[in-house]
Amino acid sequence: MKNISILGATGSVGTQALEVIGSNPDLYKVLALTAQSNTDLLIEQALKFNPVLVVITDESKYAKVKAALSGTGIKVLAGEEALCEAAALDEVHLVLTALVGSVGLRPTIEAINAGKDIALANKETLVVAGDLITRLAKEKGVKIVPVDSEHSAIFQCLVGENNHTVEKIYLTASGGPFRGKDHSFLMGVTKAEALKHPNWVMGAKITIDSASLMNKGLEVIEAKWLFGLEADQIDVIVHPQSIVHSLVQFNDGSMKAQMGLPDMKLPIHYALAYPDRISSNFKRFNFIDYPELNFYQADSKTFRNLDLAYTALRKGGNMPCIINAANEVVVGAFLQDRIGFLQMSDVIEACMDNIGFIESPSLNNYLETDQYTRILADQLVTK
Ligand code: NDP
Ligand code: MG
């Protein structure tokens, strides 16, 4: 029996993880669930899975959750600090980090310090402080198993291989709803159009990131830290059908790909079960439904975020932290109709040019960089 803590239980990844867990009650037990503000769903999940601890980070919602769970024996806590408690809870074996944004950084560090293995969906944490997180995980003997479908694919391709035989990897990108569109088209796109992803149903932030190719940029940085690669070893290829989830090319020229229908439950299921592979009744791929699989070069001239992410990766230090914080602000602003689609990259680039560069940041440097960048990005959006 694996005991699991789910940070971000009410989100797209969190709810799908609970579906997987609910279908395998002999394998998994949920010990902690957290949400930001969706009290109704959090309460429903708590009553169904009966965890030891429930955390609601929006403190104004504490009383409602506490009242609904009174008499159940479930402990209820509120506030961001409580995420760390959920992450480091005694008897938890695995923490699924399914929070969105750099808010995941501190609880992930707490979980690793407490020796918990990590099933990592919250890519922003690795983007912000990948060196620190991977160093700490190594020191504590903690496994980080990716949930992101592309990274799960690479991870699966590498089982039984030596990492030093990897020549390069190809991360596949669907291209999002605006694949093939030009600059003038993108000038006028609305959030409703950007929120319509062709292949995946996901949370709002990652859906906008997919439309702007920032998601792939963040994934390139995520891949560097997960697999110990250099920027030149990580390539992006557009694959509209999202069937080939990513590929590894080895030093003998051989390539391995991992494939499957685009369903996040698959990589979630794999990350929870790792190192085992457990049977599932998920819908199977049928070749007849996909007579063609296509691959194209990514258009990083129109979708500038991808190049900005490579620049941040090559520069290193706190630059990926800057790009992530600026991106979180502009995506929030775009979702509030405060900024246009193309202006998001302009603000991100201005933050990269103007926030102080730190070559070897400490945790405090990262937290400050995150904070300063958010302030500058917000000012630029307001302007
Ligand atoms: P969602 O927005 O659907 O869910 C986010 C979860 O985190 C919710 O439980 C939400 O609570 C909680 N949350 C949001 N903000 C905060 C905060 N400031 N403090 C504490 N909790 C917070 O996101 P997704 O599930 O789509 O994505 C989660 C992570 O997984 C992201 O990093 C994303 O990039 C990554 N990912 C997602 C994929 C997907 O298919 N969705 C695919 C690959 C990676 P509440 O519901 O109360 O707001
Ligand atoms: Mg992905």
Side-chain angles (χ1 to χ4, degrees):
M1 183 70 93
K2 230 182 232 181
N3 293 335
I4 302 180
S5 174
I6 304 184
L7 310 183
T10 50
S12 163
V13 170
T15 50
Q16 293 182 83
L18 284 171
E19 269 184 63
V20 170
I21 290 170
S23 314
N24 296 279
D26 301 338
L27 299 176
Y28 307 119
K29 165 91 184 104
V30 177
L31 290 199
L33 294 169
T34 86
Q36 181 179 36
S37 59
N38 189 345
T39 47
D40 290 341
L41 184 54
L42 182 65
I43 292 164
E44 186 188 317
Q45 293 176 339
L47 292 172
K48 179 167 179 197
F49 289 94
N50 194 28
V52 174
L53 173 66
V54 156
V55 172
I56 181 89
T57 48
D58 180 343
E59 297 184 26
S60 70
K61 310 254 163 111
Y62 170 76
K64 179 177 171 184
V65 180
K66 179 78 183 156
L69 299 181
S70 78
T72 59
I74 300 171
K75 183 173 169 186
V76 180
L77 293 174
E80 234 174 82
E81 278 305 308
L83 288 174
C84 294
E85 197 153 325
L89 202 65
D90 275 355
E91 291 172 27
V92 162
H93 303 120
L94 179 71
V95 176
L96 170 63
T97 63
L99 300 166
V100 62
S102 62
V103 68
L105 179 58
R106 273 200 284 202
T108 305
I109 291 175
E110 287 303 316
I112 298 173
N113 270 326
K116 316 294 187 194
D117 286 333
I118 308 288
L120 185 128
N122 175 230
K123 67 189 80 179
E124 293 90 346
T125 283
L126 268 196
V127 171
V128 168
D131 61 335
L132 199 150
I133 296 285
T134 48
R135 217 180 321 123
L136 191 63
K138 204 168 173 192
E139 200 181 300
K140 301 283 177 187
V142 157
K143 284 195 281 290
I144 300 180
V145 183
V147 169
D148 215 347
S149 57
E150 297 77 0
H151 304 74
S152 176
I154 302 289
F155 190 92
Q156 293 182 54
C157 290
L158 289 177
V159 169
E161 302 285 353
N162 281 323
N163 272 26
H164 72 265
T165 62
V166 175
E167 197 164 82
K168 69 190 295 183
I169 65 169
Y170 290 91
L171 298 178
T172 51
S174 70
F178 304 140
R179 181 174 57 86
K181 301 297 185 199
D182 63 12
H183 196 269
S184 63
F185 179 91
L186 293 175
M187 262 173 19
V189 297
T190 63
K191 72 176 176 200
E193 290 168 304
L195 283 169
K196 273 194 210 126
H197 196 282
N199 302 346
W200 303 94
V201 180
M202 310 179 285
K205 195 256 178 186
I206 185 176
T207 307
I208 301 301
D209 285 346
S210 299
S212 71
L213 278 204
M214 182 53 95
N215 182 49
K216 214 46 57 182
L218 300 178
E219 290 185 354
V220 167
I221 302 174
E222 182 186 11
K224 175 206 163 76
W225 295 113
L226 282 171
F227 307 114
L229 301 170
E230 297 304 321
D232 294 342
Q233 292 177 284
I234 308 169
D235 222 331
V236 168
I237 192 87
V238 173
H239 166 45
Q241 294 88 0
S242 298
I243 295 297
V244 176
H245 295 309
S246 278
L247 311 91
V248 179
Q249 179 177 307
F250 294 93
N251 59 4
D252 58 357
S254 174
M255 295 176 89
K256 273 190 187 177
Q258 186 264 341
M259 297 169 60
L261 289 172
D263 178 355
M264 276 307 292
K265 285 206 284 295
L266 237 165
I268 292 170
H269 182 66
Y270 181 83
L272 297 184
Y274 181 83
D276 293 332
R277 196 184 273 284
I278 291 165
S279 71
S280 85
N281 59 3
F282 304 148
K283 188 172 175 220
R284 274 20 182 189
F285 176 78
N286 183 352
F287 280 95
I288 306 311
D289 294 338
Y290 291 89
E292 271 185 27
L293 295 178
N294 306 107
F295 300 91
Y296 308 100
Q297 193 77 40
D299 177 4
S300 57
K301 285 223 157 43
T302 307
F303 297 88
R304 294 171 52 225
N305 284 344
L306 190 56
D307 279 351
L308 292 176
Y310 270 103
T311 302
L313 175 58
R314 291 202 164 92
K315 196 127 196 234
N318 63 342
M319 200 50 89
C321 176
I322 296 171
I323 203 175
N324 178 70
N327 183 57
E328 286 191 35
V329 171
V330 295
V331 170
F334 178 70
L335 287 170
Q336 294 167 354
D337 299 315
R338 290 173 61 211
I339 185 175
F341 187 80
L342 288 174
Q343 289 169 306
M344 291 196 286
S345 306
D346 299 338
V347 172
I348 293 167
E349 188 169 29
C351 288
M352 291 170 73
D353 288 344
N354 288 292
I355 295 287
F357 179 66
I358 304 172
E359 199 164 338
S360 304
S362 63
L363 174 59
N364 261 346
N365 292 145
Y366 283 125
L367 295 172
E368 279 172 13
T369 300
D370 183 79
Q371 194 189 349
Y372 297 156
T373 307
R374 282 168 195 272
I375 294 168
L376 177 62
D378 197 62
Q379 284 169 353
L380 293 169
V381 167
T382 307
K383 252 196 212 163

